[in-house]
Amino acid sequence: MNKTLYVGLDVHKDSIAVAVAEDGRGGEIRYHGTIVHSGDAVLRLTKTLTKSGCIPSFCYEAGPCGYGLHRLLIRLGFECAVVAPSMIPRKTGDRIKTDRRDAIMLARLWRAGELTAIWTPDEEQEAMRDLIRTRKQAKDAVKVAKQQLLSFLLRHGLKYQNGKYWTQRHRRWLAELRRFSYPHQQLAFEELKRTIDQCEARVMTLDQAIDDAIPHWHFAPLVDALRALRGVNTTIAATVVAEIGDITRFDKPRQLMAWLGLVPSEHSSGNTTRRGRLTKTGNALARTMLVEAGWSYRHPPKEGHPYLKRSAHLPQEIRDIGWKAQTRLCKRFRHLSNAGKPQPRVLSTIARELAGFIWDIARKTPLPA
């Protein structure tokens, strides 16, 4: 029987440090060396490792180099796991970190079964994820641009006192503002306004791109089904699915909640139970989208015209889950608010339970083969 070689890869932009752990508890762990980060070098490495008749099993940390190495090794017919850096056991007293040590540590832990592999997206899934994250960056740029403009006005004692910011009335006030003493100061103000317009135009372009890409996406039926939930529009549904991927890989809804970082941390010992703030592990963007969707449950349950229009074509089973989520989460929001719970805690609770309904819909939504 062919033995397995457990290979740890410490991946960088230009190089890959390689360590090998032989099968068995007492198997040798050795540093193989450093190779160039290229397809040809990886192919030569696999040929070297298979010369003795062993079967290599690779692993490396998820990082900025993406999943290209993982896809290459899978195409070559080898097992390869991308492991979560936050879940790697580390010795608190170890103060020396080198590429060699990291590769050896990965090989040793991979052989021991102590590493947690993440779900790796295919190229189609990663493309949608890139589009979603670019939109998030554009939205952040809009927020920064608006803050810069308001800060500029505040420095010059100009305050808008006729209502909320960024309404049509506020924008007309900005358009007619001519109170600066110097021409170049007025130019700086106009440039700040143009920056906001350009950033908002980017967001609109990316929103349209997302709408155009969804019908051709493998997870399009799931995105459509999630819109049966109140507060989950196309953008939120697409973001959640793009970031989580295959939701059915979670056997229970609690696993999804924990993956999203929506469960409380715990430090219990003996007869003492202590639970603290949310763990906030996993994907921050998906968690943010669920919290944003949770705001809509502060109102009483209602099936308004926009909701009925977007969910009319869905199966009755999915629509029933959406209505069940409305009645439960609206009641839950009202109960927690009346009990005096802080607003962030109320929203995190609603987001956590909303994740459970998302898991239920994903389980009952068939996807194309």
Side-chain angles (χ1 to χ4, degrees), residues 8-9 59 61 83 88 102-110 115:
L9 305 174
C59 74
E61 288 186 58
V83 301
I88 296 177
D102 286 346
I104 292 175
M105 175 193 64
L106 287 171
R108 186 185 74 254
L109 294 176
W110 184 229
L115 297 179

Side-chain angles (χ1 to χ4, degrees), residues 173-358:
W173 178 77
L174 290 174
E176 297 168 358
L177 196 58
R178 299 288 188 276
R179 300 184 183 178
F180 298 101
S181 304
Y182 299 94
H184 45 274
Q185 207 168 36
Q186 183 70 36
L187 177 63
F189 172 66
E190 297 297 333
E191 284 295 331
L192 289 172
K193 287 196 300 181
R194 288 185 70 248
T195 302
I196 295 174
D197 294 338
Q198 291 168 354
C199 292
E200 289 178 337
R202 282 185 61 209
V203 173
M204 292 178 61
T205 300
L206 292 168
D207 282 339
Q208 186 60 49
I210 292 172
D211 290 338
D212 294 341
I214 286 175
H216 309 287
W217 188 21
H218 175 72
F219 288 104
L222 178 55
V223 173
D224 192 29
L226 291 182
R227 283 155 42 93
L229 294 168
R230 181 174 182 173
V232 180
N233 56 22
T234 302
T235 301
I236 292 178
T239 301
V240 169
V241 176
E243 295 296 331
I244 299 177
D246 183 14
I247 301 177
T248 58
R249 73 182 187 272
F250 299 102
D251 296 329
K252 298 178 181 179
R254 287 183 179 273
Q255 294 177 354
L256 175 60
M257 298 172 189
W259 187 88
L260 290 167
L262 289 170
V263 297
S265 57
E266 184 172 350
H267 187 81
S268 301
S269 179
N271 297 326
T272 303
T273 301
R274 294 189 182 93
R275 292 188 176 89
R277 297 181 177 181
L278 297 182
T279 59
K280 292 188 178 180
T281 57
N283 193 281
L285 180 53
R287 182 171 61 250
T288 301
M289 290 293 104
L290 292 182
V291 172
E292 182 179 327
W295 273 105
S296 63
Y297 294 96
R298 67 188 185 276
H299 303 296
K302 179 183 177 182
E303 289 187 329
H305 177 69
Y307 172 81
L308 293 173
K309 184 178 179 181
R310 73 171 188 254
S311 62
H313 64 285
L314 296 174
Q316 187 62 41
E317 184 180 28
I318 302 299
R319 294 164 62 187
D320 289 343
I321 295 175
W323 177 246
K324 181 180 178 182
Q326 269 209 68
T327 55
R328 174 177 173 80
L329 297 183
C330 291
K331 179 181 178 181
R332 189 91 166 119
F333 197 108
R334 185 171 61 254
H335 173 74
L336 292 173
S337 298
N338 292 339
K341 299 296 182 182
Q343 198 73 267
R345 186 177 299 179
V346 175
L347 288 171
S348 63
T349 301
I350 299 301
R352 178 168 60 249
E353 297 198 16
L354 183 60
F357 289 105
I358 288 175

Side-chain angles (χ1 to χ4, degrees), residues 132-192:
I132 293 290
R133 292 179 179 180
T134 302
R135 180 193 178 275
K136 173 63 167 56
Q137 293 169 357
K139 289 288 288 184
D140 291 342
V142 172
K143 182 179 179 180
V144 171
K146 288 180 176 180
Q147 289 174 338
Q148 290 175 342
L149 177 61
L150 294 178
S151 298
F152 179 85
L153 295 177
L154 183 61
R155 286 198 305 271
H156 297 285
L158 298 173
K159 302 177 183 178
Y160 180 71
Q161 299 176 339
N162 295 324
K164 295 183 178 180
Y165 292 146
W166 309 114
T167 60
Q168 290 186 357
R169 188 175 182 181
H170 177 233
R171 290 177 184 270
R172 283 197 299 270
W173 178 77
L174 290 174
E176 297 168 358
L177 196 58
R178 299 288 188 276
R179 300 184 183 178
F180 298 101
S181 304
Y182 299 94
H184 45 274
Q185 207 168 36
Q186 183 70 36
L187 177 63
F189 172 66
E190 297 297 333
E191 284 295 331
L192 289 172

Side-chain angles (χ1 to χ4, degrees), residues 42-52 78:
V42 173
L43 180 59
R44 289 194 297 270
L45 173 66
T46 59
K47 291 180 178 179
T48 301
L49 295 177
T50 54
K51 278 183 180 179
S52 59
F78 299 101

